[in-house]
Amino acid sequence: AKQFVEQDWKRRWSYVLLGEPHVPGWIRLQHVVRELGRLGLDRSPIRFLDAVCSRGDLITYLAERHPQWSLVGLELEPDRVEKAETIRRRMSLTNVSYLRADICRLPFQNEFDLVVCSDVMEHIASDQEAFASLTRALKPGGHLIVTSPSSPQPRHLPLVAWRERLVGFDPSEIGHVRQGYSIQGLHQLFEATGSKPQRIRYTYGRWGTLCFDLFFSIGDNRPNPLLFLGLYPFLKLLGWLDLRNEPAHGAAVLGV
């Protein structure tokens, strides 16, 4: 779907030919989708909220596969909402809508069977306020799935630090106000807002972290095309291995 809003022709064709070329992002999406499958809601006509949805990648994926679901995407940035709406129209998705709103002040209460908040909390200073807003949006018995980078982070390849120095990168540039959460920290955040943690686990173990490190080192969102194509099969293999393991520690956490 991203090819409908991508301006760069090389990236547009990579979406057409490869699906999701951002392999670390694909790994995160697949971990979330697998948790959704574990909940056993595939055939139910549920109300679903993705907060914060960016261009609607997860919603588009789910809307095609679950036409009986009613899906809402929350996003504050107007350009991202515009792109998400363009994708929705081009794909004729009638079970999807998008809304601009602050995650800490959601205009919902007891409305959704399922809420996903993927890699957002590390950007929110008032994380407990946002978490409480998300849980209020749930119906009684509803489920909230949250992902975040882990804290402390595992050891990364020296190439990552080299590229950060090369491009002058700092996590604050992408809006991180904290490194992430430990399993205990995410557990405490659930309980502080009246939620009952069902399962909290690490993702991006040895193979997923290696995939992320290599992808970042070759240019992240703007890699050299030939270098990327050469590494792509190996990156996908690393992603496949990550999805088939439940590591004792990893670069990210996922809580239900």
Side-chain angles (χ1 to χ4, degrees):
K2 289 182 179 179
Q3 66 266 26
F4 297 135
V5 294
E6 179 57 58
Q7 300 300 313
D8 184 281
W9 70 269
K10 296 185 295 296
R11 290 169 62 85
R12 187 163 58 248
W13 274 104
S14 72
Y15 290 132
V16 172
L17 298 175
L18 303 177
E20 176 50 76
H22 194 292
V23 185
W26 174 81
I27 294 173
R28 180 173 61 246
L29 175 68
Q30 294 304 313
H31 277 298
V32 170
V33 168
R34 288 186 174 209
E35 288 299 328
L36 295 178
R38 286 182 179 182
L39 296 176
L41 301 173
D42 289 357
R43 298 171 185 249
S44 306
I46 68 169
R47 286 267 289 165
F48 173 90
L49 174 67
D50 187 2
V52 173
C53 67
S54 188
R55 293 180 295 187
D57 294 353
L58 176 60
I59 282 188
T60 301
Y61 179 90
L62 294 174
E64 286 190 293
R65 287 156 181 79
H66 303 290
Q68 76 278 20
W69 287 16
S70 174
L71 303 102
V72 178
L74 172 76
E75 176 57 59
L76 194 58
E77 299 297 329
D79 61 324
R80 293 179 179 177
V81 175
E82 182 180 349
K83 289 178 180 179
E85 284 284 7
T86 298
I87 291 171
R88 182 190 64 79
R89 290 192 300 269
R90 294 289 298 272
M91 298 189 67
S92 302
L93 298 174
T94 59
N95 56 338
V96 172
S97 62
Y98 291 100
L99 173 71
R100 284 190 65 198
D102 184 344
I103 191 174
C104 294
R105 297 170 182 81
L106 294 180
F108 305 115
Q109 188 164 353
N110 301 333
E111 287 197 35
F112 294 95
D113 303 281
L114 184 57
V115 174
V116 169
C117 186
S118 186
D119 280 26
V120 174
M121 286 296 163
E122 66 272 18
H123 299 266
I124 308 295
S126 50
D127 56 346
Q128 190 164 318
E129 185 181 5
F131 221 84
S133 182
L134 292 170
T135 55
R136 280 196 302 271
L138 284 173
K139 295 177 181 177
H143 292 87
L144 169 65
I145 297 177
V146 176
T147 72
S148 165
S150 66
S151 178
Q153 281 283 292
R155 181 178 296 179
H156 291 272
L157 293 177
L159 277 172
V160 174
W162 169 80
R163 185 175 183 274
E164 286 179 343
R165 291 193 301 270
L166 181 68
V167 300
F169 172 80
D170 187 272
S172 62
E173 295 176 17
I174 54 175
H176 284 192
V177 298
R178 64 181 60 81
Q179 187 180 66
Y181 297 91
S182 64
I183 282 184
Q184 181 183 11
L186 192 56
H187 194 283
Q188 291 171 345
L189 193 56
F190 270 102
E191 291 195 328
T193 51
S195 302
K196 180 181 178 182
Q198 284 189 344
R199 181 170 51 260
I200 301 178
R201 65 181 179 89
Y202 286 110
T203 60
Y204 291 90
R206 176 187 304 172
W207 309 118
T209 299
L210 177 58
C211 176
F212 175 86
D213 288 356
L214 290 173
F215 190 85
F216 180 80
S217 298
I218 64 172
D220 195 25
N221 283 315
R222 300 288 175 182
N224 177 283
L226 294 178
L227 186 57
F228 170 74
L229 286 174
L231 271 177
Y232 180 76
F234 182 58
L235 295 173
K236 287 290 283 194
L237 173 62
L238 292 173
W240 182 86
L241 291 171
D242 189 71
L243 291 164
R244 277 148 185 80
N245 290 277
E246 193 156 317
H249 188 56
V253 288
L254 183 151
V256 183

